[in-house]
Amino acid sequence: MRKPTLADRLTWQCASLLLSYPDEHRLGTAAELLAHLSSPAAQQFSHTMTAIRAAGPLRAAQDYVATFDLRRRCTLYLTYWTAGDTRNRGAAMLAFAAAYRAAGVPPPAGEAPDHLPVALEFAATVDPVAGRRLLAGHRVPIEVLHTALCDMSSPYAPTVAAVLTTLPTPSTADLQRAQRLAAEGPPAEAVGLAPFTLTVPPRRASRGAI
């Protein structure tokens, strides 16, 4: 796996801001980052940002919740697609938390560690190598998210597409798995999860990343 570049890190940071709950501070910071990005990533992010700002604060917030909180296929929680409602999800969540601790930062207090904006900010600002490894290891869930957003013509789809360009090219098996998950849903198992107690998607205690 190649070493992350500065362009990768700028892409991850901008995507983290745009995929977080929308507010003017995040949009302003993303706009500043865009000045340092070249096409096509800059165009993809500009599409998302223009749509969010055109909607206005109230409508943008409503659209965000309707997209990411109320649609399972659009969840930003990456382990939902790899582990679903199974006992394995707790271990999958712990893997994210362990990666953060190994890099010298605590897991986020107000958000699940597998939340895509959290993982993106970690990759951008803390440990690009470990962060890219986490993202690449969950490329299939990101592909499922991208497909779901494209299917609903969401303005967030180009931002997720920009993230995918920073990751290794998917194999045929990866693409087939993404298609299968999109059609059939994640693994399911009627057991309790430990150490986390989650709904699907998990309840959001706050909107911030790391």
Side-chain angles (χ1 to χ4, degrees):
M1 187 179 295
R2 67 172 175 81
K3 184 178 180 180
T5 64
L6 177 59
D8 291 334
R9 298 179 69 174
L10 290 171
T11 296
W12 295 332
Q13 181 66 80
C14 197
S16 174
L17 293 164
L18 292 176
L19 292 174
S20 296
Y21 189 79
D23 64 38
E24 189 53 42
H25 174 71
R26 289 192 178 101
L27 292 176
T29 303
E32 293 175 5
L33 291 174
L34 280 178
H36 303 282
L37 282 169
S38 59
S39 298
Q43 294 178 352
Q44 292 168 316
F45 291 139
S46 293
H47 178 88
T48 300
M49 187 179 305
T50 298
I52 293 173
R53 282 188 160 152
L58 179 60
R59 178 61 184 274
Q62 293 172 336
D63 289 347
Y64 183 91
V65 171
T67 299
F68 296 115
D69 290 359
L70 302 181
R71 295 174 183 267
R72 291 192 176 193
R73 287 186 65 209
C74 295
T75 181
L76 293 170
Y77 295 92
L78 298 176
T79 63
Y80 172 67
W81 290 107
T82 57
D85 288 324
T86 75
R87 70 190 72 193
N88 295 326
R89 190 167 183 197
M93 299 271 280
L94 285 175
F96 278 84
Y100 300 155
R101 291 193 182 96
V105 295
E111 188 56 270
D114 67 330
H115 192 236
L116 179 56
V118 170
L120 287 167
E121 186 169 352
F122 171 76
T125 64
V126 179
D127 190 330
V129 174
R132 189 170 191 262
R133 189 180 304 120
L134 281 175
L135 294 169
H138 292 79
R139 181 180 180 118
V140 169
I142 300 173
E143 288 278 4
V144 174
L145 170 62
H146 180 242
T147 298
L149 293 171
C150 287
D151 288 347
M152 59 184 290
S153 300
S154 170
Y156 290 101
T159 288
V160 178
V163 172
L164 288 170
T165 65
T166 68
L167 305 180
T169 302
S171 65
T172 300
D174 287 336
L175 294 176
Q176 291 174 341
R177 184 181 173 211
Q179 292 172 350
R180 186 172 64 255
L181 284 172
E184 301 176 2
E189 181 177 72
V191 298
L193 298 178
F196 298 94
T197 301
L198 301 171
T199 57
V200 181
R203 293 188 181 91
R204 179 172 289 121
S206 71
R207 301 291 181 180
I210 292 176

